[in-house]
Amino acid sequence: MKYLLMIYENEKIWESLSQEETQKILGEYAVFTESLEKSGSYIAAEALEPTPTATTVRIRDGKRLTTDGPFAETREQLGGFYLVEAKDLDEAIAMASRIPNARTGSIEIRPIMDYSKNMG
């Protein structure tokens, strides 16, 4: 089953890190990503630009409205994701627990909807 592991972090903490600390964490991400690739669980992953670069789109009364920034003010922002293949939620939780930012932020796990099961 496919799961999306969404990485939430406080961008201000990330911005406050030294270059050495940032490189250490990025190195941990490289090792984690390589382990997913070797296990066959890796499907995709991306890091996102900070929330000031976001644009939110809404359609109201047939009109498109766009606003700068994220949808809601929160202490933690979506910073990136992994799309993985896991046999069950327990395996997805084990993978999420190894993401470096799980130590300072949070990882939300969401199963990917399988439309083929509903198209019967």
Side-chain angles (χ1 to χ4, degrees), residues 9 12 16 23 36 43 53 80 83 86 95 97 112 116:
E9 60 190 355
K12 298 207 180 307
S16 70
Q23 290 304 314
L36 288 179
I43 297 173
T53 65
L83 179 62
M95 289 177 196
S97 300
I112 300 298
S116 66

Side-chain angles (χ1 to χ4, degrees), residues 23-61:
Q23 290 304 314
K24 180 179 182 285
I25 294 170
L26 291 176
E28 292 173 357
Y29 269 100
V31 170
F32 174 69
T33 301
E34 185 177 337
S35 73
L36 288 179
E37 290 171 339
K38 285 182 178 175
S39 73
S41 299
Y42 180 89
I43 297 173
E46 293 291 344
L48 302 176
E49 291 289 339
T51 53
T53 65
T55 301
T56 301
V57 177
R58 296 177 183 88
I59 303 296
R60 299 292 185 267
D61 298 323

